[in-house]
């Protein structure tokens, strides 16, 4: 898929964004709650979404469980895990969840109104996924303190939720917020925001980690946090989010910037692999690793488009795009900016500063 973008400048190479999304035919989701035995009293609306999805799609299956499921050692049989309303994320499962996401799976985190913020931050730190700096509002007060901002466009989850042309403006009835955690994203985090409050706080954020993805929500999925669970936006948004997270191992959203060494881990034993981009075919370096293959190629001659990975067992596509930095035409405002630029870009031993006055 290619997403046309309007940049408003004379640099046209970044006016399109190439990506591909593959959704596997069968998806298994593990829904983890605080106490599985008492789950009938748990008011999260996550179960309604999962149940409706399972009933409408025979190839979508979910299992509800308590924390004891992590002692079974069967996490790899699931395509995505949802941590829903846990008061804390036990430390003994941190390493298992880290490995799980790194290997290409999806993990979704929804907090509890009784959550231990220090514990949550220890969990998020494992993924370099920011921190929680407190909260806003009062749980179950039903007094609106903010609303959900206009939804950003361009993310495949949001693109699939709405049926509209590129010329149409996206309009929704903004859900009201009563209580949410103040989630802060680190500058080094690699991800995308899906929901944001009118106070500019992140509400739902997607982090890339290894081959997989971590979705962090500042809101729980019950009416004590907001009126989102009874808003028409809720069901399609969170269904698509779960679907997207459970597709990570088989690709999720696939894209890469030009200038980076192309590298992809594939589940195949056939080393006769070709890469094709813009009708040019090359033979990449293929390295066996833990029962899979690492495919890599410098790609210095490539232009934006799709690279196809192909052998007798696989056939998949990954989007190749111009890096954002290539079209960042912001002006330097101070001399120090220019010095910093040359220090980082040229790694010069000596840089002379001249007055621009």
């Amino acid at each position: 898929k290619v997403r046309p973008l309007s940049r408003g400048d004379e640099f046209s190479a970044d006016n399109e964004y190439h990506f591909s999304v593959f959704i596997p035919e069968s998806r298994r989701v593990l829904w983890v709650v605080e106490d599985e035995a008492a789950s009938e009293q748990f008011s999260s609306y996550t179960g309604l979404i999962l149940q409706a999805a399972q009933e409408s799609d025979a190839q979508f299956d979910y299992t509800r469980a308590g924390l004891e499921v992590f002692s079974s050692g069967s996490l790899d049989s699931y395509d995505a895990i949802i941590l829903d309303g846990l008061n804390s994320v036990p430390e003994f499962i941190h390493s298992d969840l880290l490995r799980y996401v790194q290997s290409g799976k999806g993990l979704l985190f929804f907090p509890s109104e009784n959550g231990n913020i220090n514990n949550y931050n220890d969990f998020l730190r494992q993924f370099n996924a920011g921190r929680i700096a407190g909260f806003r509002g009062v749980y179950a007060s039903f007094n609106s303190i903010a609303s959900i901002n206009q939804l950003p466009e361009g993310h495949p989850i949001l693109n699939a939720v709405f049926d509209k042309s590129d010329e149409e403006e996206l309009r929704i009835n903004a859900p009201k917020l009563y209580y949410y955690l103040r989630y802060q994203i680190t500058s080094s985090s690699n991800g995308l925001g899906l929901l944001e409050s009118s106070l500019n706080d992140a509400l739902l954020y997607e982090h890339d980690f290894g081959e997989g993805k971590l979705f962090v929500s500042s809101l729980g999925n019950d009416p004590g946090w907001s009126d989102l669970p009874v808003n028409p936006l809720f069901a399609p948004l969170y269904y698509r989010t779960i679907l997207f997270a459970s597709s990570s191992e088989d690709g999720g959203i696939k894209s890469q910037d030009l200038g980076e060494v192309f590298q992809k881990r594939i589940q195949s034993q056939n080393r006769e692999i070709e890469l094709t981009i813009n009708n040019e075919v090359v033979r990449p370096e293929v390295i066996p690793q833990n029962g899979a293959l690492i495919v890599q190629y410098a790609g210095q001659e490539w232009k934006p488009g799709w690279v196809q990975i192909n052998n007798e067992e696989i056939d998949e596509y990954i989007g190749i795009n111009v890096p954002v930095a290539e079209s960042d035409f912001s002006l330097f405002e101070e001399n120090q900016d220019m010095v910093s630029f040359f220090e980082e870009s040229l790694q010069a031993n000596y840089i002379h500063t001249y007055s621009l006055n």
Side-chain angles (χ1 to χ4, degrees):
K1 181 172 182 177
V2 59
R3 176 72 178 175
L5 302 173
S6 177
R7 293 295 187 187
D9 54 51
E10 299 301 321
F11 186 71
S12 61
D14 66 343
N15 285 356
E16 293 182 336
Y17 183 79
H18 302 79
F19 65 90
S20 64
V21 178
F22 176 73
I23 298 176
E25 294 183 357
S26 178
R27 293 164 296 279
R28 294 194 64 207
V29 175
L30 176 62
W31 175 31
V32 182
V33 297
E34 182 72 23
D35 183 0
E36 198 276 333
S39 57
E40 292 184 359
Q41 284 73 46
F42 185 57
S43 58
S44 171
Y45 279 48
T46 305
L48 296 179
I49 297 174
L50 293 171
Q51 183 178 354
Q54 182 169 268
E55 291 175 351
S56 61
D57 183 353
Q59 295 174 325
F60 185 97
D61 188 32
Y62 78 92
T63 300
R64 185 179 62 195
L67 289 169
E68 67 277 359
V69 72
F70 291 102
S71 302
S72 65
S74 59
L75 298 184
D76 289 338
S77 63
Y78 297 98
D79 300 301
I81 296 175
I82 303 173
L83 304 180
D84 195 7
L86 302 183
N87 292 334
S88 63
V89 183
E91 291 186 11
F92 76 88
I93 68 173
H94 286 184
S95 59
D96 288 341
L97 293 176
L98 202 69
R99 178 192 57 79
Y100 179 83
V101 178
Q102 282 180 320
S103 67
K105 306 285 189 173
L107 178 62
L108 297 91
F109 170 79
F110 298 102
S112 164
E113 71 276 11
N114 299 315
N116 183 323
I117 290 181
N118 289 332
N119 170 269
Y120 285 173
N121 284 336
D122 288 341
F123 163 69
L124 295 172
R125 192 178 301 115
Q126 310 301 312
F127 296 88
N128 188 31
R131 63 185 297 272
I132 296 167
F135 58 88
R136 294 190 191 275
V138 178
Y139 178 76
S141 67
F142 304 106
N143 294 321
S144 176
I145 59 167
S147 61
I148 292 181
N149 260 348
Q150 189 73 17
L151 300 182
E153 298 187 57
H155 194 286
I157 289 177
L158 299 173
N159 290 346
V161 169
F162 303 99
D163 182 14
K164 71 177 194 66
S165 68
D166 291 333
E167 289 75 25
E168 290 180 291
E169 184 179 353
L170 181 59
R171 293 182 179 275
I172 62 169
N173 292 325
K176 298 176 182 178
L177 303 173
Y178 313 132
Y179 174 77
Y180 64 87
L181 303 183
R182 292 182 55 223
Y183 180 44
Q184 297 180 342
I185 314 300
T186 62
S187 58
S188 60
S189 176
N190 182 22
L192 295 170
L194 277 77
L195 294 181
E196 186 179 77
S197 78
S198 56
L199 300 177
N200 299 321
D201 294 317
L203 299 177
L204 180 62
Y205 203 89
E206 171 205 342
H207 296 273
D208 294 329
F209 190 81
E211 294 293 318
K213 295 185 180 296
L214 167 68
F215 288 84
V216 179
S217 173
S218 300
L219 295 167
N221 285 339
D222 70 79
W225 298 78
S226 71
D227 68 355
L228 178 60
V230 296
N231 187 285
L233 171 68
F234 178 75
L237 173 65
Y238 280 97
Y239 169 72
R240 294 296 307 181
T241 300
I242 295 169
L243 191 67
F244 185 72
S246 64
S247 306
S248 295
E249 184 181 24
D250 297 279
I253 184 169
K254 303 177 185 179
S255 67
Q256 179 170 318
D257 288 343
L258 289 170
E260 299 177 357
V261 173
F262 178 84
Q263 188 175 83
K264 175 67 177 176
R265 186 176 188 271
I266 62 172
Q267 296 294 330
S268 175
Q269 300 300 316
N270 185 347
R271 300 181 61 177
E272 296 299 316
I273 295 175
E274 293 182 341
L275 300 181
T276 304
I277 185 168
N278 299 327
N279 297 320
E280 296 183 5
V281 180
V282 297
R283 289 277 187 174
E285 181 181 4
V286 180
I287 306 170
Q289 184 182 86
N290 299 329
L293 299 175
I294 303 297
V295 179
Q296 61 184 31
Y297 185 73
Q300 295 179 348
E301 75 279 16
W302 286 351
K303 297 179 181 180
W306 286 276
V307 57
Q308 179 185 18
I309 308 175
N310 180 265
N311 65 12
E312 294 180 354
E313 300 175 2
I314 63 170
D315 185 15
E316 62 179 82
Y317 292 79
I318 297 177
I320 303 295
N321 297 285
V322 174
V324 173
E326 291 291 336
S327 55
D328 183 0
F329 298 123
S330 57
L331 299 176
F332 292 128
E333 295 182 357
E334 299 179 3
N335 294 359
Q336 186 58 41
D337 288 332
M338 185 174 293
V339 174
S340 299
F341 171 78
F342 283 109
E343 285 178 339
E344 295 175 2
S345 302
L346 303 180
Q347 297 181 350
N349 292 326
Y350 300 98
I351 294 180
H352 299 282
T353 303
Y354 297 93
S355 174
L356 300 182
N357 295 331

